[in-house]
Amino acid sequence: MVTTDIKKKDATGLLLVLFLGQLLAFSMAGASFASSFLANLGVDAPLTQSFFAYLLLTLVYLPIFLHRRQKPRIPWYWYLALAFVDTQGGYLVVKAYQYSSITSVTLLDCWTVVWVIILTWYALGTRYSFWQFLGAGTCVAGLGLVLLSDAKSSDEQDPGQMPLLGDALVIVGTVCFAFSNVGAEYCVKKNDRVELVAMVGLFQLLVSTIQIFIFERKSLEAIAWSPTTISSFAGYAIAIFTFSSITPFVLKMSGSTLFNLSLLTSDMWAVAIGLLFYQQQINWLYYLAFSVVAIGLIVYSLNESSPVDGTTKGTEAAAHYQQLPSEGSSTSGSNLDSQENKQLEEAHIC
Protein backbone atom coordinates (compact mmCIF):
# COMPACT_ATOMS: atom_id res chain seq x y z
CA MET A 1 0.00 0.00 0.00
CA VAL A 2 2.80 2.41 0.88
CA THR A 3 4.59 1.69 -2.41
CA THR A 4 1.38 2.25 -4.36
CA ASP A 5 0.78 5.58 -2.62
CA ILE A 6 4.35 6.68 -3.39
CA LYS A 7 3.94 5.75 -7.06
CA LYS A 8 0.67 7.71 -7.21
CA LYS A 9 2.38 10.75 -5.68
CA ASP A 10 5.26 10.42 -8.14
CA ALA A 11 2.86 10.19 -11.07
CA THR A 12 0.82 13.14 -9.79
CA GLY A 13 3.92 15.24 -9.28
CA LEU A 14 5.24 14.36 -12.74
CA LEU A 15 1.91 15.25 -14.37
CA LEU A 16 1.81 18.52 -12.46
CA VAL A 17 5.32 19.45 -13.61
CA LEU A 18 4.46 18.57 -17.21
CA PHE A 19 1.24 20.61 -17.02
CA LEU A 20 3.00 23.64 -15.55
CA GLY A 21 5.74 23.24 -18.15
CA GLN A 22 3.16 23.45 -20.91
CA LEU A 23 1.66 26.57 -19.35
CA LEU A 24 5.13 28.08 -19.37
CA ALA A 25 5.63 27.09 -23.00
CA PHE A 26 2.28 28.56 -24.01
CA SER A 27 3.04 31.79 -22.13
CA MET A 28 6.45 32.04 -23.79
CA ALA A 29 4.89 31.47 -27.22
CA GLY A 30 2.33 34.20 -26.46
CA ALA A 31 5.09 36.62 -25.47
CA SER A 32 7.02 35.72 -28.63
CA PHE A 33 3.94 36.36 -30.76
CA ALA A 34 3.38 39.77 -29.14
CA SER A 35 7.05 40.74 -29.64
CA SER A 36 7.03 39.63 -33.26
CA PHE A 37 3.75 41.45 -33.91
CA LEU A 38 5.10 44.69 -32.43
CA ALA A 39 8.26 44.34 -34.52
CA ASN A 40 6.11 44.01 -37.65
CA LEU A 41 4.30 47.21 -36.62
CA GLY A 42 7.63 49.00 -36.56
CA VAL A 43 7.85 49.25 -32.76
CA ASP A 44 11.44 49.00 -31.52
CA ALA A 45 11.11 49.35 -27.74
CA PRO A 46 12.10 46.06 -26.03
CA LEU A 47 12.75 47.70 -22.66
CA THR A 48 9.33 49.35 -22.66
CA GLN A 49 7.68 46.01 -23.45
CA SER A 50 9.32 44.45 -20.42
CA PHE A 51 8.61 47.51 -18.26
CA PHE A 52 4.85 46.90 -18.28
CA ALA A 53 5.37 43.24 -17.38
CA TYR A 54 7.63 44.15 -14.46
CA LEU A 55 5.16 46.81 -13.34
CA LEU A 56 2.37 44.22 -13.24
CA LEU A 57 4.54 41.79 -11.24
CA THR A 58 5.46 44.51 -8.74
CA LEU A 59 1.87 45.70 -8.27
CA VAL A 60 0.64 42.17 -7.56
CA TYR A 61 3.43 40.52 -5.55
CA LEU A 62 5.09 43.38 -3.65
CA PRO A 63 1.95 44.20 -1.56
CA ILE A 64 1.67 40.50 -0.64
CA PHE A 65 5.30 40.44 0.46
CA LEU A 66 4.98 43.70 2.44
CA HIS A 67 1.82 42.40 4.13
CA ARG A 68 3.91 39.64 5.70
CA ARG A 69 6.01 42.27 7.51
CA GLN A 70 9.20 40.26 7.29
CA LYS A 71 12.64 41.20 6.09
CA PRO A 72 14.05 39.56 2.94
CA ARG A 73 15.81 36.33 3.79
CA ILE A 74 18.29 36.82 0.96
CA PRO A 75 20.38 40.03 0.63
CA TRP A 76 18.85 42.60 -1.69
CA TYR A 77 21.93 42.82 -3.91
CA TRP A 78 21.44 39.19 -5.00
CA TYR A 79 17.95 40.08 -6.21
CA LEU A 80 19.38 43.15 -7.93
CA ALA A 81 21.96 41.01 -9.74
CA LEU A 82 19.30 38.51 -10.84
CA ALA A 83 17.02 41.32 -12.00
CA PHE A 84 19.78 43.03 -13.98
CA VAL A 85 20.90 39.85 -15.75
CA ASP A 86 17.33 38.76 -16.54
CA THR A 87 16.42 42.23 -17.84
CA GLN A 88 19.39 42.21 -20.23
CA GLY A 89 18.43 38.74 -21.46
CA GLY A 90 14.87 39.89 -22.12
CA TYR A 91 16.13 42.98 -23.92
CA LEU A 92 18.43 41.01 -26.23
CA VAL A 93 15.83 38.38 -27.11
CA VAL A 94 13.07 40.92 -27.79
CA LYS A 95 15.52 43.03 -29.82
CA ALA A 96 16.25 39.96 -31.96
CA TYR A 97 12.71 40.07 -33.38
CA GLN A 98 13.78 43.20 -35.28
CA TYR A 99 16.23 41.10 -37.29
CA SER A 100 14.98 37.51 -37.31
CA SER A 101 11.76 35.50 -37.49
CA ILE A 102 9.66 34.27 -34.56
CA THR A 103 10.57 30.66 -35.42
CA SER A 104 14.32 31.29 -35.32
CA VAL A 105 14.16 33.25 -32.08
CA THR A 106 12.08 30.68 -30.21
CA LEU A 107 14.19 27.77 -31.39
CA LEU A 108 17.50 29.45 -30.59
CA ASP A 109 16.14 30.48 -27.21
CA CYS A 110 16.57 26.82 -26.26
CA TRP A 111 20.33 27.40 -26.04
CA THR A 112 19.54 28.30 -22.44
CA VAL A 113 19.48 24.55 -21.73
CA VAL A 114 23.18 24.22 -22.61
CA TRP A 115 24.30 27.08 -20.40
CA VAL A 116 22.08 25.90 -17.53
CA ILE A 117 23.62 22.43 -17.59
CA ILE A 118 27.10 23.97 -17.42
CA LEU A 119 26.17 26.36 -14.60
CA THR A 120 24.31 23.80 -12.50
CA TRP A 121 27.24 21.40 -12.87
CA TYR A 122 29.76 23.90 -11.48
CA ALA A 123 27.59 26.12 -9.26
CA LEU A 124 25.03 23.71 -7.76
CA GLY A 125 26.94 20.45 -8.04
CA THR A 126 24.29 18.77 -10.22
CA ARG A 127 25.52 15.66 -12.02
CA TYR A 128 24.12 14.31 -15.28
CA SER A 129 24.32 10.88 -16.88
CA PHE A 130 25.78 10.10 -20.28
CA TRP A 131 22.31 9.78 -21.80
CA GLN A 132 21.27 13.16 -20.43
CA PHE A 133 24.32 14.74 -22.05
CA LEU A 134 23.49 12.89 -25.26
CA GLY A 135 19.92 14.22 -25.18
CA ALA A 136 21.06 17.78 -24.53
CA GLY A 137 23.71 17.48 -27.25
CA THR A 138 21.08 16.30 -29.70
CA CYS A 139 19.02 19.38 -28.88
CA VAL A 140 22.05 21.57 -29.60
CA ALA A 141 22.59 19.79 -32.94
CA GLY A 142 18.99 20.54 -33.88
CA LEU A 143 19.45 24.20 -32.99
CA GLY A 144 22.56 24.31 -35.19
CA LEU A 145 20.32 23.53 -38.15
CA VAL A 146 18.45 26.76 -37.47
CA LEU A 147 21.66 28.77 -37.92
CA LEU A 148 22.32 26.93 -41.18
CA SER A 149 18.80 27.65 -42.41
CA ASP A 150 19.03 31.35 -41.56
CA ALA A 151 22.43 31.63 -43.25
CA LYS A 152 21.02 30.10 -46.45
CA SER A 153 17.81 32.15 -46.43
CA SER A 154 19.34 35.55 -45.60
CA ASP A 155 18.94 36.69 -49.22
CA GLU A 156 15.23 35.85 -49.13
CA GLN A 157 14.53 37.96 -46.05
CA ASP A 158 13.32 41.53 -46.00
CA PRO A 159 16.09 44.10 -46.55
CA GLY A 160 15.67 45.39 -42.98
CA GLN A 161 16.26 41.96 -41.46
CA MET A 162 19.62 40.39 -40.63
CA PRO A 163 18.90 36.82 -39.42
CA LEU A 164 22.42 36.03 -38.23
CA LEU A 165 22.54 39.21 -36.11
CA GLY A 166 19.20 38.26 -34.59
CA ASP A 167 20.51 34.75 -33.90
CA ALA A 168 23.60 36.17 -32.16
CA LEU A 169 21.46 38.43 -29.97
CA VAL A 170 19.31 35.46 -28.92
CA ILE A 171 22.31 33.30 -28.02
CA VAL A 172 23.85 36.05 -25.87
CA GLY A 173 20.44 36.55 -24.28
CA THR A 174 20.24 32.87 -23.39
CA VAL A 175 23.49 33.19 -21.44
CA CYS A 176 21.84 35.90 -19.34
CA PHE A 177 18.73 33.76 -18.89
CA ALA A 178 20.85 30.81 -17.76
CA PHE A 179 22.48 32.84 -14.98
CA SER A 180 19.06 34.17 -13.99
CA ASN A 181 17.41 30.73 -13.95
CA VAL A 182 20.14 29.04 -11.93
CA GLY A 183 20.20 31.92 -9.46
CA ALA A 184 16.41 31.81 -9.16
CA GLU A 185 16.53 28.04 -8.57
CA TYR A 186 19.04 28.52 -5.77
CA CYS A 187 16.92 31.28 -4.17
CA VAL A 188 13.55 29.56 -4.47
CA LYS A 189 14.84 26.32 -2.96
CA LYS A 190 16.15 28.21 0.07
CA ASN A 191 13.29 30.69 0.29
CA ASP A 192 9.64 31.23 -0.62
CA ARG A 193 8.33 32.02 -4.10
CA VAL A 194 6.54 35.28 -3.25
CA GLU A 195 9.69 36.99 -2.00
CA LEU A 196 11.62 35.93 -5.10
CA VAL A 197 9.02 37.20 -7.59
CA ALA A 198 8.32 40.39 -5.61
CA MET A 199 11.94 41.43 -5.11
CA VAL A 200 13.16 40.48 -8.58
CA GLY A 201 10.12 42.16 -10.17
CA LEU A 202 10.77 45.36 -8.18
CA PHE A 203 14.43 45.57 -9.18
CA GLN A 204 13.58 44.69 -12.78
CA LEU A 205 11.17 47.63 -12.79
CA LEU A 206 13.89 49.96 -11.48
CA VAL A 207 16.56 48.70 -13.90
CA SER A 208 14.27 48.91 -16.94
CA THR A 209 13.11 52.42 -15.97
CA ILE A 210 16.70 53.69 -15.84
CA GLN A 211 17.60 52.01 -19.14
CA ILE A 212 14.48 53.35 -20.88
CA PHE A 213 15.40 56.87 -19.80
CA ILE A 214 18.91 56.40 -21.23
CA PHE A 215 18.34 54.33 -24.37
CA GLU A 216 14.70 54.37 -25.50
CA ARG A 217 13.36 57.90 -25.20
CA LYS A 218 13.55 58.50 -28.96
CA SER A 219 12.02 55.11 -29.71
CA LEU A 220 9.04 55.89 -27.48
CA GLU A 221 8.48 59.20 -29.25
CA ALA A 222 8.43 57.40 -32.60
CA ILE A 223 5.73 54.89 -31.57
CA ALA A 224 2.35 55.43 -33.24
CA TRP A 225 0.06 54.47 -30.37
CA SER A 226 -3.14 52.70 -31.43
CA PRO A 227 -5.52 50.13 -29.91
CA THR A 228 -3.57 47.41 -31.72
CA THR A 229 -0.24 48.59 -30.30
CA ILE A 230 -1.62 48.96 -26.78
CA SER A 231 -3.24 45.52 -26.86
CA SER A 232 0.06 44.01 -28.05
CA PHE A 233 1.93 45.62 -25.14
CA ALA A 234 -0.78 44.36 -22.75
CA GLY A 235 -0.64 40.85 -24.22
CA TYR A 236 3.12 40.71 -23.77
CA ALA A 237 2.84 41.94 -20.17
CA ILE A 238 0.19 39.34 -19.29
CA ALA A 239 2.21 36.54 -20.93
CA ILE A 240 5.39 37.47 -19.03
CA PHE A 241 3.42 37.89 -15.78
CA THR A 242 2.01 34.36 -16.18
CA PHE A 243 5.44 33.00 -17.07
CA SER A 244 7.15 34.66 -14.07
CA SER A 245 4.41 33.50 -11.69
CA ILE A 246 4.65 29.83 -12.71
CA THR A 247 8.44 29.66 -13.07
CA PRO A 248 9.24 29.41 -9.31
CA PHE A 249 6.91 26.42 -8.94
CA VAL A 250 8.66 24.50 -11.72
CA LEU A 251 12.13 25.49 -10.50
CA LYS A 252 11.33 24.27 -6.98
CA MET A 253 9.81 21.00 -8.18
CA SER A 254 12.24 20.05 -10.94
CA GLY A 255 15.18 22.45 -11.33
CA SER A 256 16.56 24.72 -14.05
CA THR A 257 17.42 22.04 -16.60
CA LEU A 258 14.03 20.33 -16.80
CA PHE A 259 12.43 23.77 -16.62
CA ASN A 260 14.22 24.89 -19.77
CA LEU A 261 13.66 21.58 -21.51
CA SER A 262 9.93 22.00 -20.92
CA LEU A 263 10.11 25.29 -22.80
CA LEU A 264 11.23 23.47 -25.95
CA THR A 265 7.58 22.78 -26.74
CA SER A 266 7.01 26.51 -27.11
CA ASP A 267 8.66 26.13 -30.52
CA MET A 268 5.66 24.10 -31.65
CA TRP A 269 3.35 26.95 -30.69
CA ALA A 270 5.64 29.46 -32.39
CA VAL A 271 5.63 27.51 -35.65
CA ALA A 272 1.83 27.25 -35.49
CA ILE A 273 1.60 31.02 -34.99
CA GLY A 274 3.91 31.64 -37.92
CA LEU A 275 1.78 29.46 -40.16
CA LEU A 276 -1.64 30.70 -39.04
CA PHE A 277 -1.09 34.44 -38.54
CA TYR A 278 1.81 35.31 -40.84
CA GLN A 279 1.36 32.73 -43.63
CA GLN A 280 5.08 32.33 -43.17
CA GLN A 281 6.99 29.99 -45.49
CA ILE A 282 8.84 27.55 -43.25
CA ASN A 283 12.17 26.24 -44.50
CA TRP A 284 12.37 22.44 -44.49
CA LEU A 285 15.38 22.65 -42.17
CA TYR A 286 13.10 24.04 -39.45
CA TYR A 287 11.05 20.84 -39.45
CA LEU A 288 14.22 18.76 -39.31
CA ALA A 289 15.56 20.95 -36.51
CA PHE A 290 12.39 20.59 -34.47
CA SER A 291 12.40 16.80 -34.96
CA VAL A 292 16.01 16.56 -33.77
CA VAL A 293 15.27 18.78 -30.75
CA ALA A 294 12.22 16.62 -29.90
CA ILE A 295 14.35 13.45 -30.03
CA GLY A 296 16.93 15.03 -27.73
CA LEU A 297 14.20 16.07 -25.29
CA ILE A 298 12.80 12.52 -25.20
CA VAL A 299 16.25 11.02 -24.59
CA TYR A 300 16.90 13.44 -21.74
CA SER A 301 13.46 13.01 -20.16
CA LEU A 302 13.68 9.21 -20.16
CA ASN A 303 16.87 9.46 -18.11
CA GLU A 304 15.70 12.26 -15.81
CA SER A 305 15.14 11.36 -12.15
CA SER A 306 11.66 11.82 -10.74
CA PRO A 307 10.90 15.47 -9.97
CA VAL A 308 8.97 14.41 -6.90
CA ASP A 309 12.05 12.77 -5.44
CA GLY A 310 13.97 15.94 -6.00
CA THR A 311 11.20 17.93 -4.36
CA THR A 312 11.16 15.64 -1.36
CA LYS A 313 14.91 15.93 -0.91
CA GLY A 314 14.72 19.67 -1.32
CA THR A 315 11.92 19.87 1.24
CA GLU A 316 13.87 17.79 3.72
CA ALA A 317 16.92 19.95 3.19
CA ALA A 318 14.86 23.09 3.64
CA ALA A 319 13.34 21.70 6.82
CA HIS A 320 16.79 20.89 8.16
CA TYR A 321 17.97 24.37 7.18
CA GLN A 322 15.07 25.96 9.05
CA GLN A 323 15.85 23.98 12.18
CA LEU A 324 19.36 25.37 12.42
CA PRO A 325 18.41 28.51 14.41
CA SER A 326 17.04 26.33 17.22
CA GLU A 327 20.06 24.09 17.19
CA GLY A 328 21.18 25.40 20.55
CA SER A 329 17.89 24.53 22.22
CA SER A 330 17.79 21.10 20.60
CA THR A 331 21.37 20.47 21.74
CA SER A 332 20.56 21.47 25.31
CA GLY A 333 17.49 19.24 25.18
CA SER A 334 19.57 16.29 24.05
CA ASN A 335 22.08 16.96 26.86
CA LEU A 336 19.25 16.89 29.43
CA ASP A 337 17.99 13.62 27.98
CA SER A 338 21.46 12.08 28.20
CA GLN A 339 21.82 13.24 31.83
CA GLU A 340 18.45 11.67 32.71
CA ASN A 341 19.47 8.42 31.04
CA LYS A 342 22.71 8.34 33.03
CA GLN A 343 20.80 8.91 36.28
CA LEU A 344 18.42 6.07 35.45
CA GLU A 345 21.29 3.77 34.61
CA GLU A 346 23.06 4.64 37.87
CA ALA A 347 19.83 4.02 39.82
CA HIS A 348 19.43 0.66 38.10
CA ILE A 349 23.00 -0.32 38.94
CA CYS A 350 22.51 0.62 42.59
Side-chain angles (χ1 to χ4, degrees), residues 113-122 124-134 136 182 185 254-258 260-261 300 303-305:
V113 176
V114 181
W115 312 129
V116 163
I117 290 177
I118 296 174
L119 287 176
T120 53
W121 181 283
Y122 287 102
L124 301 182
T126 305
R127 293 296 177 262
Y128 302 93
S129 66
F130 167 78
W131 291 104
Q132 287 175 304
F133 278 120
L134 180 62
V182 174
E185 177 187 351
S254 62
S256 300
T257 304
L258 190 58
N260 283 282
L261 287 173
Y300 185 96
N303 294 275
E304 173 72 9
S305 59

Side-chain angles (χ1 to χ4, degrees), residues 234-281:
Y236 180 84
I238 293 173
I240 294 300
F241 174 83
T242 304
F243 182 86
S244 299
S245 299
I246 300 174
T247 294
F249 287 95
V250 180
L251 288 177
K252 195 174 186 68
M253 297 178 68
S254 62
S256 300
T257 304
L258 190 58
F259 160 75
N260 283 282
L261 287 173
S262 298
L263 296 181
L264 294 180
T265 54
S266 65
D267 305 330
M268 177 184 66
W269 301 108
V271 171
I273 290 172
L275 291 173
L276 295 176
F277 291 92
Y278 298 139
Q279 287 77 44
Q280 188 180 31
Q281 296 297 323

Side-chain angles (χ1 to χ4, degrees), residues 13 32 37 50 60 67 91 117 138 145 195 224 239-240 255 316 320:
S32 300
F37 191 78
S50 301
V60 172
H67 181 71
Y91 170 80
I117 290 177
T138 305
L145 294 175
E195 178 179 319
I240 294 300
E316 291 175 356
H320 179 68

Side-chain angles (χ1 to χ4, degrees), residues 147-180:
L147 291 173
L148 179 62
S149 175
D150 282 343
K152 286 186 175 183
S153 62
S154 58
D155 296 334
E156 303 174 0
Q157 301 290 334
D158 295 334
Q161 287 194 335
M162 293 179 285
L164 291 179
L165 175 59
D167 295 345
L169 291 175
V170 175
I171 292 176
V172 176
T174 58
V175 177
C176 298
F177 282 146
F179 278 99
S180 175

